[in-house]
Amino acid sequence: MAILPISTYPDPILREPTQEVTRYDKELRTFLDSLAETMYKAHGIGLASPQVAVLKRVTVIDISEERNERIDLVNPHIVWRDGKVPSEEGCLSIPGYRDTIKRSKEIVVQMQDSSGKDLEIKAEGLLSICIQHEVDHLDGILFIDHLSRLKRELFKRWLKRQGPLE
Ligand code: ZN
């Protein structure tokens, strides 16, 4: 396990598509452990592989207060969505910026666990929001892409004032 450096906006790696996992081996589990360790150290509730410059279709999530309910999502795909909710979000790759976007209220996600077992989760609330944010990362999409045109301009101005993100 290792703490990995987190890539920040506008690093182009954050826009790259990820590759589906086909081998459920020790290397995958070690990587997931490192991704989780990096997420916990940064006090995040989710972290996706492109954020640590690895282009595998995997992400880890833990929305529990005790930080002991980690979920590993391997090859996740959202296959059903319903409703809309406002969601105030931030991102470890855009430190210091938060804004409100719209997300689906409920989702169904199909994926595997780290041993390759097929899983399906129906989620709502914070878990649903967090999965949508992380699966977006696996498709090269950032939460700021969902901002209205006006808010996008405000973000650009904020970024200019901020200088390079660390
Ligand atoms: Zn993020």
Side-chain angles (χ1 to χ4, degrees):
M1 284 201 289
I3 302 284
L4 306 167
I6 296 179
S7 307
T8 53
Y9 184 86
D11 190 325
I13 194 92
L14 296 170
R15 298 307 195 176
E16 294 283 326
T18 50
Q19 301 250 316
E20 299 270 333
V21 169
T22 53
R23 291 174 53 182
Y24 302 85
D25 53 9
K26 189 160 177 284
E27 187 194 325
L28 175 66
R29 284 186 290 278
T30 302
F31 174 65
L32 287 164
D33 286 344
S34 297
L35 195 59
E37 200 180 352
T38 306
M39 170 185 75
Y40 287 128
K41 175 146 188 287
H43 307 290
I45 59 172
L47 192 63
S49 70
Q51 295 181 276
V52 294
V54 174
L55 296 171
K56 283 184 206 290
R57 195 169 180 88
V58 301
T59 173
V60 294
I61 285 175
D62 189 342
I63 60 163
S64 72
E65 268 181 29
E66 298 76 20
R67 317 296 279 145
N68 58 4
E69 291 175 34
R70 169 180 151 192
I71 308 171
D72 296 340
L73 296 90
V74 178
N75 300 330
H77 289 276
I78 295 169
V79 295
W80 180 85
R81 300 170 176 267
D82 193 42
K84 285 272 178 248
V85 279
S87 165
E88 194 200 319
E89 298 185 17
C91 179
L92 292 175
S93 293
I94 313 175
Y97 194 76
R98 295 187 72 79
D99 212 336
T100 301
I101 59 167
K102 281 215 177 81
R103 291 281 188 195
S104 302
K105 186 163 182 272
E106 287 181 88
I107 58 164
V108 171
V109 60
Q110 290 179 344
M111 60 192 205
Q112 286 97 48
D113 67 10
S114 60
S115 66
K117 189 176 150 213
D118 285 315
L119 297 171
E120 187 174 277
I121 298 181
K122 187 169 186 189
E124 60 182 334
L126 182 58
L127 182 60
S128 164
I129 298 292
C130 189
I131 291 173
Q132 290 173 68
H133 180 116
E134 300 310 328
V135 171
D136 267 359
H137 272 301
L138 302 178
D139 293 321
I141 299 167
L142 301 171
F143 86 95
I144 52 166
D145 299 343
H146 298 290
L147 293 172
S148 65
R149 198 184 299 175
L150 173 67
K151 283 187 168 181
R152 194 75 191 269
E153 285 308 313
L154 295 174
F155 168 70
K156 281 186 196 154
R157 249 181 270 170
W158 173 86
L159 193 63
K160 212 176 261 177
R161 276 200 314 272
Q162 198 71 16
L165 301 177
E166 275 169 32

